[in-house]
Amino acid sequence: MWSVPHERWITHLLPRAGGLSRRGGLTSAQKIVDYTGALLGDLESGLRDTGAHATRARFEEGLVAAAHARASPRSSADLSAGPTPRHTGGMTLRFPLRGPRLDLRPFTADDAAPAHRVYGDPEVMRFVGDGGPASPERTAQMLADYAAHQARHGFAFWAVIERASGELIGDAGLEVTDQGIELGYTLARGRWGRGLATEAGRLCVEAADGPLGLRRLVGLADLANPASAVVLARLGFADDGIVDAYGRPHWRVVRER
């Protein structure tokens, strides 16, 4: 699908970590946006409804398991090791986090079915975690893990709600991984190419900079997914090299304040 010589252009256009300010990163991000505008336009398509359902019981069972220190299925970190830290240095968040078009809020058990329409789509999940679609059971476990992560750290992946339609269209948020505190986002295919990932990501960054008091965030973008690198660059992340994550090479980017 991606025919651009990714590694050659991305390493030149992303600012180096520690070398440029956030403003410098945004300037470089515009170059990436211009270069990959055609790619982003090709991303839009309708969300396939999988028709699958994950029950409240699965969510509640998963929450019990998550409370016993399971890491999120999309995470490569082992959150069970050591004490239970809270990484926030500021205030508790007040939800929803509101953008021009989107609201971000914690997931609930009632979100399992609409969340699975996103997580069960193979194309959506191609670059998320291990790269495969989630089963209904795994979707319920993911939501339970997010709830446990929120309780433990004061942040997590949150439901992304499109205000105009009232629909849950994906997730965005922050997670403790072996890379650091990682920004991530996953949106339904029908919402690609509209700048919504950038809007959701910006809400997360503003929460990190403000109430949460986080000084350093990391992001990962699969080498085969330059659109994600575009979003991270727009948000002021700087290139920090290439790492292996989830069994695949990724660009690693950082954002410090």
Side-chain angles (χ1 to χ4, degrees):
M1 179 177 180
W2 304 105
S3 58
V4 179
H6 317 301
E7 192 167 347
R8 288 205 297 273
W9 63 265
I10 198 76
T11 54
H12 288 292
L13 295 182
L14 275 171
R16 290 297 303 177
L20 293 178
S21 69
R22 282 184 287 165
R23 290 187 180 181
L26 291 170
T27 300
S28 295
Q30 187 57 54
K31 297 178 184 178
I32 302 176
V33 171
D34 293 342
Y35 190 91
T36 60
L39 288 176
L40 290 172
D42 290 341
L43 292 176
E44 288 197 56
S45 62
L47 172 64
R48 178 174 57 81
D49 187 343
T50 64
H53 177 68
T55 66
R56 177 182 293 273
R58 289 189 186 123
F59 175 88
E60 292 173 347
E61 290 169 1
L63 186 55
V64 172
H68 287 82
R70 253 198 90 211
S72 164
R74 67 194 284 170
S75 169
S76 56
D78 177 9
L79 303 185
S80 62
T84 303
R86 280 184 66 88
H87 289 267
T88 56
M91 301 177 292
T92 301
L93 289 175
R94 297 181 64 180
F95 293 102
L97 309 180
R98 294 180 66 86
R101 296 169 290 175
L102 302 175
D103 288 344
L104 271 58
R105 61 157 174 80
F107 281 97
T108 71
D110 293 335
D111 294 325
H116 188 67
R117 287 195 286 271
V118 180
Y119 295 151
D121 185 331
E123 189 63 20
V124 168
M125 299 299 285
R126 181 180 172 196
F127 301 116
V128 179
D130 62 12
S135 66
E137 293 79 10
R138 186 180 179 199
T139 293
Q141 181 64 62
M142 290 169 76
L143 302 195
D145 287 344
Y146 300 161
H149 194 285
Q150 179 72 40
R152 188 176 192 186
H153 298 289
F155 55 83
F157 284 107
W158 303 304
V160 177
I161 308 299
E162 183 181 54
R163 256 197 322 277
S165 66
E167 293 182 18
L168 189 157
I169 62 169
D171 72 43
L174 306 166
E175 182 180 39
V176 179
T177 75
D178 55 6
Q179 298 294 328
I181 299 177
E182 186 176 333
L183 171 68
Y185 37 80
T186 306
L187 293 183
R189 275 194 282 162
R191 271 55 177 206
W192 291 356
R194 304 183 189 181
L196 295 175
T198 302
E199 181 176 332
R202 183 165 290 118
L203 289 172
C204 297
V205 167
E206 289 172 354
D209 286 351
L212 293 176
L214 302 174
R215 301 192 63 83
R216 190 172 195 269
L217 302 177
V218 301
L220 297 176
D222 193 297
L223 295 190
N225 186 20
S228 187
V230 170
V231 172
L232 291 166
R234 282 173 174 162
L235 296 173
F237 283 77
D239 176 37
D240 195 35
I242 295 176
V243 299
D244 184 76
Y246 312 106
R248 306 184 306 277
H250 287 70
W251 289 295
R252 185 178 189 270
V253 295
V254 299
R255 185 182 186 278
E256 298 179 296
R257 64 180 182 90

